[in-house]
Amino acid sequence: MAGRRGLRWLLRHDPGLAASRRAGRVAVVATLAFMLTRYGLGSPTMAVYAVFGAIGFGVLSQVVGTPRERTRTLVACFAAGSVLVALGTLLAGSTAAATIGMLVVGVVVAFLPTGGPRAAGVASGLQLLYILPSFPPYAPETLPGRLIGLAIGMGLLAIADRVLWPPRPIESYACRAAAAARAIADLVDAATTGVGDLPTRRAVAEHADGRLKLLATPWEERPTGPGAEDRGLAHLGAALRAVRGRVEVLVAGDTESAGDAPAECVNPDVRAPLAATAASLRGTADALLGHGPPPEVADVDAARASYTARRLAALATVGDGEEAIARARAAVAVGQILSSARVAVQAARIVVDPRGRPRTPAPGDLAWWTTASTPLLWWRRIRAHLSPRSVYLQNAVRLGVGLALARFVAGELDLSHGLWVLLATLTLMRTSVMTTRATLLPAIVGTTAGAVLAAGLLALVGQATVVYAVLFPVLCVAAVGAGQVLGVIAGQASFTLLVAVLFAQLAPAGPALAGARLLDVVVGAVIGIGVGAAVWPAGGHGEMRRDAARCLLASADLITAMAAWLSGVGARDEVARRLASADNRMLLFEATFLQYRAERRGRYEDDVDWFTVLGVVHRAVRAARSALDDPAEPETVSPWPDLVEALHRDAGVLADGYRGVAEALQADRDPATDPAALLGLPSDFLDRALMAITDAPGRREHPREALWLVYAWGRLGWLADDLAVLGAVLAPAPSRRRALVA
């Protein structure tokens, strides 16, 4: 009974026993590596590096991906770690040289998260491999032994990762995208044919859509890396969410107009293109799961061309009034659905075969990255984050300065086991001073408790090495698993005990070792919180308003450039140029948002729904990108200059609304007490525009130009809806804050 109760308790605190499996795996590796090198080969130097190789990449790091990817990551980390161990060994003879090296290595390695989850997960382990050899004694002759020990520890860890309680696979983002594509295809079928329960399929599609959000995806599977596959997954997820959103608009509009009629699309004109969309989405889902080749972009293009031809014929024959407006609204939604479906197919083809990307851009392929080399993709990502406004660069500089200062203090004060000063700084420093401060007290309490227990153990056992050898694997399991299952206090206490037992087997040790460990942790923690308070102390929150405002300003510029292009008087290159700027700003905003969500936040910092703001920016960028690929491009100047002028006017008002929200965010004030006032456009402005197009003289003689204007205003309507949402989200914030303060 007690055993079953204990297992139930463990399953509640460690779902799937992930932490327990990891603790057991690392404990076996560390123990085996230590026993082999310390007692088998008789080398304390090898033993230290073997154990810390296993701990650095089994405890301090998160090696993620498929089994093959994890093995490749460990091999790459051994290669890079060997360089860091050699560098640390050669610079250890001088405090000044070791400190400068720590600053450079600290900043460079801490900048790795720009490369996505796989690179971010191993950054702490790589930092440890420079920290470990950078302290006296200065012994370059021990470098071969250090590298052999590191190879043994990391090699055993790579083998154990495959065969000894390996991590359970996590559902990949590609699998989530496949499920979403199939659910959206089912929704389209229910909407167009009436087959299937429409409300149920809408709910399933909404759930699958929600699982594509970055916040709903485990961090290790988020497609945030610079490579072609990650970029393709990010574009695929955004395109699928856009398809579902436009299908919902179409279904809601048709259901409302049909009243109590069966829930299917009542406009037969849209059935063929939606059927083609459903087929492409199913093909995409199958390809992502490895069940066949991805669909051809040409098939989607054929459906778009066919629907455009049908719409042109309809514009030449359909009457005026409500029927024309209803069909125009449907045309807007279907055009956006087909455009997003095309992006989804393009992205899926790259995800399925990243190496098979074309060398030259295909017609209508606007994403530069689809034809760029992998080194160029990495360089563009790094260059984008070489900005004081990037939270990745801020974190790298903060941690680099903290580690360098800790190395200098430990060297100048000649602290015994100064390694633990830097290790405390590395493990306790967070991305904001508030989060660091919240971590500090539990760490000190846990270290103190562990030091007291370690002092008692060392005094009681003395030099009986066999006792320490027996306790080592037990404490290794506790040190790895306790922090994840029981919290920071238990983790720090267990790790302090483990350190005492480890070093007691390397050299004679007494109770003073536990006190030295406590002193080192306190010094490292104080340095960490001091540097954190001096270097960008607000963390992600300090950049949220600025990044959001910059993105909204870029969206406003996109709106004006897009309107000019859509009306036939602007330059395509201008839209592409502003798209590049908006993409860069959105990249920084997305990184800031993800960090902000991981930080400890203050009492009033959730007043703004930043996720909604990020979604609005994403849709503005998608709308502009799809506008460049619109199949209804006119061949002549619009015969209705008054309508073109009205389009520019509406776009200008809409852009001013986005700028108004941006300025309000920068000033931390209420953008408007009434969202409608913020919008600056009447709620029925799209219907008025569509009515003006249907009433335009010569509309039947110029159907292509008319359809072009319909699509142009349709995009403005989509962005206007988002601006209204922004107003509703932001307007109550200051009033709530004032109420709370009062």
Side-chain angles (χ1 to χ4, degrees):
M1 289 294 293
R4 282 199 294 268
R5 284 198 300 269
L7 180 60
R8 286 196 297 268
W9 177 90
L10 183 60
L11 287 172
R12 283 198 306 270
H13 291 80
D14 182 18
L17 298 179
S20 301
R21 292 156 65 93
R22 183 184 183 195
R25 182 170 60 252
V26 175
V28 169
V29 169
T31 302
L32 182 59
F34 184 79
M35 297 302 173
L36 175 63
T37 53
R38 176 65 183 92
Y39 298 108
L41 300 177
S43 173
T45 298
M46 286 187 190
V48 170
Y49 283 82
V51 169
F52 279 98
I55 290 176
F57 294 94
V59 181
L60 297 182
S61 299
Q62 295 279 351
V63 183
V64 299
T66 63
R68 181 176 297 179
E69 288 172 341
R70 294 197 302 270
T71 300
R72 287 203 302 263
T73 298
L74 287 173
V75 171
C77 287
F78 173 71
S82 298
V83 175
L84 294 175
V85 169
L87 183 63
T89 300
L90 297 177
L91 297 179
S94 165
T95 297
T99 299
I100 294 173
M102 187 71 262
L103 177 63
V104 174
V105 170
V107 171
V108 172
V109 174
F111 201 54
L112 283 178
T114 56
R118 287 177 62 191
V122 299
S124 292
L126 291 174
Q127 297 277 19
L128 177 63
L129 293 187
Y130 175 83
I131 293 172
L132 190 60
S134 69
F135 285 91
Y138 175 64
E141 68 279 2
T142 64
L143 180 58
R146 293 176 176 185
L147 295 180
I148 292 172
L150 180 64
I152 291 173
M154 295 189 66
L156 290 174
L157 184 64
I159 295 172
D161 180 75
R162 291 291 193 102
V163 301
L164 187 63
W165 307 304
R168 292 179 178 175
I170 299 176
E171 185 183 25
S172 68
Y173 194 86
C175 289
R176 290 172 174 249
R182 191 168 296 281
I184 296 169
D186 292 341
L187 170 62
V188 171
D189 283 344
T192 54
T193 65
V195 177
D197 182 46
L198 183 59
T200 298
R201 292 193 174 182
R202 290 175 75 177
V204 171
E206 182 180 8
H207 174 71
D209 175 293
R211 296 177 74 242
L212 295 178
K213 298 175 181 178
L214 290 183
L215 289 180
T217 306
W219 74 270
E220 55 264 51
E221 288 297 330
R222 290 172 182 170
T224 56
E229 184 176 359
D230 272 14
R231 288 177 181 269
L233 285 170
H235 278 74
L236 175 61
L240 291 175
R241 299 190 67 210
V243 171
R244 190 196 75 86
R246 293 299 92 188
V247 170
E248 285 288 344
V249 169
L250 193 63
V251 169
D254 286 333
T255 304
E256 183 179 348
S257 61
D260 296 329
E264 63 182 61
C265 244
V266 295
N267 184 355
D269 290 344
V270 306
R271 293 183 182 176
L274 290 183
T277 299
S280 71
L281 292 179
R282 285 200 170 84
T284 296
D286 290 341
L288 292 172
L289 297 175
H291 299 158
E296 296 291 336
V297 178
D299 295 337
V300 183
D301 286 341
R304 298 172 79 200
S306 175
Y307 182 66
T308 298
R310 193 177 299 115
R311 286 298 305 144
L312 292 174
L315 280 169
T317 58
V318 73
D320 299 330
E322 294 297 328
E323 179 188 3
I325 293 178
R327 292 200 175 192
R329 276 187 169 276
V332 168
V334 173
Q336 293 167 350
I337 288 170
L338 289 170
S339 181
S340 297
R342 187 180 195 275
V343 174
V345 170
Q346 282 182 318
R349 296 183 68 83
I350 292 174
V351 171
V352 171
D353 185 16
R355 298 180 183 273
R357 291 177 290 150
R359 293 181 180 273
T360 56
D365 191 357
L366 303 173
W368 65 271
W369 57 268
T370 57
T371 57
S373 64
T374 299
L376 179 59
L377 292 174
W378 272 85
W379 166 241
R380 292 285 291 266
R381 173 61 61 84
I382 291 171
R383 189 177 66 181
H385 282 285
L386 289 177
S387 164
R389 299 275 70 87
S390 169
V391 292
Y392 288 147
L393 183 62
Q394 292 177 6
N395 294 340
V397 172
R398 182 191 300 110
L399 184 58
V401 170
L403 291 175
L405 181 59
R407 176 63 184 88
F408 178 78
V409 170
E412 288 298 304
L413 298 182
D414 195 21
L415 296 177
S416 60
H417 300 286
L419 159 70
W420 306 110
V421 178
L422 274 78
L423 194 58
T425 302
L426 176 66
T427 56
L428 297 181
M429 182 179 284
R430 298 295 187 265
T431 57
S432 72
V433 67
M434 183 179 295
T435 310
T436 302
R437 192 166 55 240
T439 310
L440 181 61
L441 181 59
I444 297 298
V445 171
T447 303
T448 303
V452 171
L453 293 175
L457 177 66
L458 293 171
L460 180 65
V461 175
Q463 303 305 315
T465 309
V466 65
V467 176
Y468 301 129
V470 171
L471 287 176
F472 184 80
V474 177
L475 291 174
C476 200
V477 171
V480 177
Q484 298 184 50
V485 177
L486 299 176
V488 176
I489 294 178
Q492 286 289 330
S494 301
F495 197 68
T496 300
L497 269 173
L498 176 66
V499 168
V501 168
L502 171 66
F503 280 93
Q505 296 176 79
L506 299 175
L513 177 64
R517 158 75 171 157
L518 176 60
L519 174 63
D520 292 340
V521 169
V522 171
V523 171
V526 169
I527 291 174
I529 198 169
V531 172
V535 184
W536 292 295
H541 177 257
E543 298 295 331
M544 283 300 296
R545 288 185 176 273
R546 184 183 293 109
D547 282 352
R550 283 162 55 89
C551 282
L552 290 172
L553 289 174
S555 299
D557 293 339
L558 269 180
I559 291 170
T560 55
M562 180 180 67
W565 161 249
L566 292 176
S567 59
V569 299
R572 181 190 184 95
D573 290 345
E574 179 63 17
V575 182
R577 185 182 67 81
R578 296 190 180 187
L579 259 176
S581 174
D583 275 334
N584 183 65
R585 292 184 178 187
M586 189 169 65
L587 179 68
L588 296 179
F589 183 27
E590 194 171 81
T592 302
F593 171 74
L594 291 175
Q595 176 172 306
Y596 165 77
R597 291 288 298 185
E599 291 174 347
R600 184 182 180 92
R601 297 187 291 277
R603 184 179 178 186
Y604 311 119
E605 293 181 10
D606 285 326
D607 285 340
V608 176
D609 183 356
W610 296 114
F611 185 73
T612 297
V613 180
L614 181 61
V616 168
V617 172
H618 270 285
R619 285 187 291 274
V621 170
R622 287 202 304 268
R625 181 171 286 118
S626 65
L628 293 180
D629 193 29
D630 202 304
E633 181 178 349
E635 299 174 353
T636 61
V637 177
S638 174
W640 308 291
D642 55 332
L643 291 181
V644 172
E645 183 181 351
L647 176 67
H648 280 289
R649 184 170 58 251
D650 285 352
V653 173
L654 188 60
D656 287 342
Y658 276 76
R659 292 189 184 97
V661 177
E663 292 169 0
L665 286 176
Q666 288 177 321
D668 192 13
R669 59 180 172 78
D670 189 343
T673 56
D674 179 11
L678 172 67
L679 179 59
L681 290 171
S683 59
D684 62 344
F685 90 98
L686 181 56
D687 284 346
R688 293 184 185 182
L690 296 178
M691 180 68 74
I693 296 172
T694 59
D695 292 341
R699 182 252 296 171
R700 292 177 176 84
E701 289 75 20
H702 300 281
R704 186 172 293 276
E705 287 74 15
L707 183 59
W708 186 250
L709 286 173
V710 167
Y711 284 149
W713 252 298
R715 286 187 172 84
L716 293 185
W718 191 3
L719 298 175
D721 290 343
D722 276 342
L723 182 58
V725 170
L726 277 181
V729 168
L730 298 177
S735 58
R736 284 206 308 270
R737 189 183 301 120
R738 283 193 295 268
L740 287 170
V741 172

